[in-house]
Amino acid sequence: MILTIALSAVAPIVTYNTLVDDHGWSEASALLASGAWPVLDTAVMVAWRRKLDEFAIIALMFLVITAVVSLVGAQSAQALLVKDSAVTGLFGLLCLATLLAPRPLMFYFGRKFGTDGTPAGVAYYNDLWRFEGFRNTQRRMTLVWGVVYLIEAAVRIVLSYVLDTSTMVTLSPFMIYGTLGGLALWTVRFVKHAKAEGEKRAAEAAAAAQAAGSAA
């Protein structure tokens, strides 16, 4: 987490300000150069884990989208900021699109962070899909993540037109990681609540079954 914050938040801000203020780079060129740090962060994470899991694939996919989008159309600083904001909006759309798939995106996020990664742990998590309550929980989380990221992208796009470039370069990482942190906190609480509700319903069903057996 410290490395990610350093490479994806602190380094881009420092690089942008240094290139613009001390070396006379244009705002657009400085923005493109500062975007190399998140690419390095992803490369370091992949090398560290020594495997290309679904999260690394998603990160690489969005880095490619960011690069392609940045090179299309106008190359002004404002246009680059708007394009960068649109990428998180694309992630929100991806979340919503997976609601139509057999399993939504948050199911795979949950499997990554909710298991120890062993075949037995993954198999146990996959087996939970047979429960309706578990399926509804995964779909609801995916819906919330998708909607929130669409809103975050829309707000950042509006701010790109309202605030100057230097302010947005500083503010944007805080919005990105603030949104991510808020969603992560909500997800943890929501999962705990859903789990407690599921255990309560299971206990009530077991008690009812026991009572019916005793009566018989």
Side-chain angles (χ1 to χ4, degrees):
M1 181 62 71
I2 293 174
L3 182 63
T4 296
I5 292 174
L7 292 178
S8 297
V10 177
I13 294 173
V14 173
T15 299
Y16 173 84
N17 290 329
T18 300
L19 292 177
V20 172
D21 297 338
D22 299 339
H23 298 282
W25 284 40
S26 67
E27 292 181 338
S29 298
L31 276 174
L32 287 173
S34 63
W37 291 109
V39 177
L40 177 60
D41 176 50
T42 300
V44 169
M45 290 299 105
V46 171
W48 196 341
R49 294 168 182 156
R50 297 184 179 180
K51 65 178 181 179
L52 195 63
D53 58 18
E54 59 266 26
F55 290 92
I57 292 173
I58 290 173
L60 289 172
M61 178 182 67
F62 276 97
L63 285 173
V64 170
I65 292 174
T66 302
V68 172
V69 170
S70 297
L71 295 175
V72 174
Q75 298 299 311
S76 67
Q78 187 180 70
L80 290 173
L81 286 171
V82 170
K83 293 173 185 178
D84 182 58
S85 302
V87 171
T88 54
L90 289 175
F91 179 76
L93 289 175
L94 175 63
C95 287
L96 298 180
T98 61
L99 291 173
L100 302 176
R103 297 184 182 184
L105 187 60
M106 285 303 111
F107 170 84
Y108 300 100
F109 277 51
R111 189 172 66 183
K112 176 68 175 180
F113 294 105
T115 70
D116 55 7
T118 62
V122 172
Y124 172 78
Y125 190 86
N126 289 338
D127 187 58
L128 293 175
W129 187 255
R130 62 193 176 93
F131 297 109
E132 182 180 0
F134 180 82
R135 297 194 299 270
N136 291 338
T137 297
Q138 300 301 315
R139 292 188 175 112
R140 189 175 302 175
M141 288 192 299
T142 302
L143 175 64
V144 170
W145 277 66
V147 171
V148 169
Y149 265 110
L150 284 176
I151 294 173
E152 184 268 352
V155 171
R156 281 206 294 144
I157 290 173
V158 171
L159 291 179
S160 297
Y161 287 99
V162 175
L163 303 177
D164 59 82
T165 303
S166 179
T167 301
M168 272 304 300
V169 169
T170 302
L171 180 61
S172 187
F174 289 98
M175 292 186 65
I176 293 172
Y177 289 104
T179 301
L180 177 60
L183 282 170
L185 180 61
W186 173 83
T187 299
V188 170
R189 292 181 174 178
F190 179 73
V191 168
K192 287 183 178 179
H193 176 74
K195 183 178 180 181
E197 287 294 317
E199 291 174 347
K200 179 181 178 182
R201 288 193 297 269
E204 290 174 348
Q210 183 178 6
S214 299

